[in-house]
Amino acid sequence: MKGIGLITLSTDPVGEDAFKAVMADAPLRIFTTRTGYDEENHEAGGFIPRPDWPVLLATLPPDDLVDVIVFLCTSATIALGNDQLIHRLSSARPGIQYTSPGIAAVAMMKEFNIKRIALLTPYGPTLHDAFKPYLARHGIEAVADFSLAHSMNLVTDEDIGRVPVNRIQTELSQLLRNAQQVDAVFVSCAAFSVERSDLVEMTGALGCPVLASVHSTAWHVLDLLHEYGPRDNFASDLGLPRPA
């Protein structure tokens, strides 16, 4: 059986369970580990794990049990960039496939020709403002964006996990009301308590595919492991086309 090495932040109360829930019907094993990080460095737009990358990656099972390593933090991807994140992971554990919410979201958007999005995050200004140039480097334009950090006083991952789904939908509706036409919306952060059924419901209510960090990552993992049935079923739930 194929295996996934899942790395989540020590502060994230949501991401691990959410990822496992999305993957529950796939014939895969998930091995998990957690990492602390330098919070001040991250607020300033960087990402330094504690312990360091080689020690962190060594806490996962050996290579014959792990086919993909998932670093389940969107903002860390944006802070480091795709190439630097993959370099850090591959230097510590070479010869495995790698993904993260940022990498996966870009892969999913490219697969479905999504070029214009509305973006919702829970981050402070430094991390939130880094998204537009990050997406632009991959040919994706965030034509409308908003952070809930200030209006909801979001400081910790636990704060983010308590944001109600109806508040997320309300903010997305407002973004779409004021935006030019978009191909999809993206809800960024693995700590948001959003389930697959929530994305399906919001997609129907908003008339536009709603992508989210954990679920985009699950889609990309299924794609990397050639589990095309579960991958395509999930995309179809969001109104995205099935392969010909």
Side-chain angles (χ1 to χ4, degrees):
M1 184 179 291
K2 296 173 184 175
I4 301 163
L6 177 67
I7 303 167
T8 63
L9 301 186
S10 58
T11 55
D12 183 354
V14 171
E16 178 182 352
D17 289 344
F19 182 82
K20 288 178 177 178
V22 180
M23 303 296 277
D25 295 333
L28 303 165
R29 291 191 293 188
I30 301 174
F31 307 99
T32 63
T33 191
R34 285 180 173 260
T35 182
Y37 61 100
D38 183 332
E39 294 190 35
E40 288 187 10
N41 178 271
H42 195 42
E43 284 297 318
F47 189 84
I48 301 173
R50 293 176 174 163
D52 62 15
W53 295 98
V55 174
L56 172 60
L57 272 290
T59 62
L60 291 169
D63 291 354
D64 60 336
L65 296 177
V66 176
D67 300 277
V68 176
I69 288 176
V70 176
F71 191 81
L72 198 64
C73 179
T74 322
S75 58
T77 313
I78 284 25
L80 291 170
N82 292 5
D83 292 344
Q84 188 59 234
L85 177 58
I86 290 176
H87 173 71
R88 301 287 177 87
L89 296 171
S90 62
S91 295
R93 285 287 290 266
I96 301 176
Q97 300 183 96
Y98 316 92
T99 191
S100 74
I103 293 169
V106 166
M108 192 174 188
M109 291 177 196
K110 287 187 172 182
E111 175 69 21
F112 293 101
N113 198 33
I114 293 170
K115 296 181 178 179
R116 294 166 55 84
I117 68 164
L119 171 70
L120 183 70
T121 85
Y123 311 123
T126 300
L127 288 170
H128 179 84
D129 292 346
F131 269 78
K132 278 193 172 184
Y134 169 84
L135 293 166
R137 288 194 293 273
H138 299 283
I140 301 160
E141 182 183 5
V143 300
D145 63 284
F146 184 70
S147 169
L148 289 166
H150 178 69
S151 60
M152 295 195 70
N153 192 30
L154 303 181
V155 178
T156 68
D157 283 345
E158 188 173 1
D159 295 336
I160 297 167
R162 288 197 293 260
V163 176
V165 172
N166 61 0
R167 177 63 183 271
I168 293 172
Q169 181 170 326
T170 297
E171 296 294 347
L172 292 178
S173 179
Q174 184 65 37
L175 272 176
L176 292 175
R177 190 175 301 118
N178 296 330
Q180 304 172 31
Q181 185 173 359
V182 301
D183 302 313
V185 299
F186 182 57
V187 180
S188 176
C189 192
F192 273 129
S193 294
V194 179
E195 299 180 3
R196 178 172 176 168
S197 58
D198 296 324
L199 297 183
V200 173
E201 184 175 333
M202 287 191 286
T203 290
L206 299 173
C208 159
V210 179
L211 313 183
S213 290
V214 170
H215 306 78
S216 296
T217 306
W219 178 91
H220 195 218
V221 170
L222 294 169
D223 185 62
L224 291 172
L225 294 179
H226 308 298
E227 296 290 341
Y228 297 136
R231 178 202 67 178
D232 295 341
N233 288 339
F234 172 63
S236 180
D237 285 348
L238 301 184
L240 296 167
R242 285 182 175 271

